[in-house]
Structure formats: structure tokens, C-alpha cells
């Protein structure tokens, strides 16, 4: 896993100035390396820190976590959802999705299911996004012969960020029930 993630809430008092976190390690390397974490006072903040931020820390014997909040007076903090991941959970960047047009040709079929990868390509820093099609899950029917049908392709990354584009599907071929 490449990122330490957690949600933190601190009181809204402006005297809360700094939040630091460190894994505590009994293995090789330093026992702890405190890293300053960005946060927003008075609300829940998702923090995603790369393990590389804990310079020199080894992760072979981590047995607890240390969280320190600093301020002019005692500071209240609450923690939730502490976990490790391979992706940056603060990622708010949507995937990049590019659509292309397609022609489908009917020859006796009542419907033709579209394949998302034939209509769009998508990339994202957190890995390959999932592609979905609408309307009708990307199924073209023989009643649409002679039409140009807009199909929305939605790319969703591992964090849940989405981006869309529209492909035009030209529907050609024989009428419903006909085949050559």
C-alpha cells in the first residue's frame, strides 16, 4: 500500500494550528517520523499521505499510530476511517475520457449490445476507469435503424470521480425481422 488515509475533525477554534501524524515502528529504521497533515478546522477532512512523506520510515514493524494536534489551548480531534491504499483517496480529478463514433449494422438481430471500449477510451491516475453506457445500458434496437443515436459514456475512477462524453452511433442495416 502506498498511502496512509484517515478522516479527521478538529474543533473550529482558530488556535488549532498544526496536525501531525506518524506510524510508530518497532522494526528497522526510525521509530517515528512526524509529518504535518493539512486539515480544515471545524469539519471532517479526508487526508491521504504518501508513505514516502515519512522519509526513512520503514513499515516492517508498525504497531500503532500517533496523532498530535497543536494549538494555543487544548485541541479536540476526532479520527475515523484509518486505512492504507494504493491510490490517493484525496483525488478529486475526474478521469480523462474520449469518445469516438460507431456504426452498427442490423441483419436479422432485434438488438445489438454496444461495447463501451469501442465507443471510448479513458485514463486516470488511480488506474483504469470503469466505463458505463446510457441510455438502456448501451443496447441499440432494430427500431432505431436509420437513426443516429447519442450514447453517453461515463468513466468512473477508483475514488468515484466521473467524467462523461457522448458518442454518436449510426444505426444501419435491415428493418426489424429482415435478414439477408
Amino acid at each position: 500500500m502506498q498511502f496512509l488515509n484517515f478522516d479527521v475533525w478538529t474543533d473550529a477554534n482558530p488556535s488549532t494550528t498544526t496536525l501531525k501524524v506518524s506510524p510508530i515502528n518497532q522494526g528497522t529504521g526510525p521509530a517515528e517520523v512526524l509529518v504535518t497533515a493539512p486539515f480544515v478546522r471545524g469539519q471532517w477532512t479526508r487526508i491521504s499521505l504518501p508513505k514516502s512523506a515519512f522519509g526513512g520510515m520503514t513499515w516492517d514493524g508498525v504497531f500503532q499510530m500517533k496523532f498530535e494536534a497543536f494549538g494555543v489551548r487544548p485541541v479536540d480531534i476526532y479520527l475515523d476511517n484509518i486505512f492504507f491504499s494504493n491510490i490517493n483517496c484525496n483525488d478529486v480529478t475526474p478521469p480523462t475520457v474520449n469518445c469516438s463514433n460507431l456504426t452498427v449494422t442490423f441483419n436479422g438481430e432485434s438488438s445489438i449490445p454496444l461495447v463501451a471500449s469501442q465507443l471510448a477510451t479513458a485514463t486516470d491516475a488511480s488506474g483504469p476507469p470503469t466505463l458505463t453506457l446510457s441510455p438502456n445500458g448501451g443496447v441499440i434496437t432494430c427500431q432505431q435503424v436509420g437513426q443516429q443515436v447519442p450514447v453517453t459514456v461515463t468513466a468512473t475512477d477508483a475514488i468515484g470521480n466521473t467524467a462523461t462524453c457522448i458518442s454518436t452511433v449510426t444505426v444501419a442495416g435491415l428493418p426489424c425481422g429482415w435478414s439477408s
Side-chain angles (χ1 to χ4, degrees), residues 99-102 119-120 149-153 165-169:
C99 278
S100 55
N101 297 329
L102 180 71
L119 294 174
V149 179
V151 176
T152 301
V153 180
C165 64
I166 297 177
S167 293
T168 300
V169 177

Side-chain angles (χ1 to χ4, degrees), residues 80-111:
D80 198 6
N81 304 318
I82 302 168
F83 64 99
F84 292 96
S85 68
N86 280 325
I87 56 175
N88 180 341
C89 292
N90 275 342
D91 177 12
V92 294
T93 304
T96 300
V97 60
N98 296 302
C99 278
S100 55
N101 297 329
L102 180 71
T103 298
V104 295
T105 304
F106 279 85
N107 185 19
E109 303 91 350
S110 60
S111 65

Side-chain angles (χ1 to χ4, degrees), residues 21 53 71 151 157 169 178:
V21 61
V151 176
D157 69 13
V169 177
W178 287 42

Side-chain angles (χ1 to χ4, degrees), residues 118-131:
Q118 292 177 332
L119 294 174
T121 58
T123 58
D124 190 75
S126 65
T130 302
L131 298 176

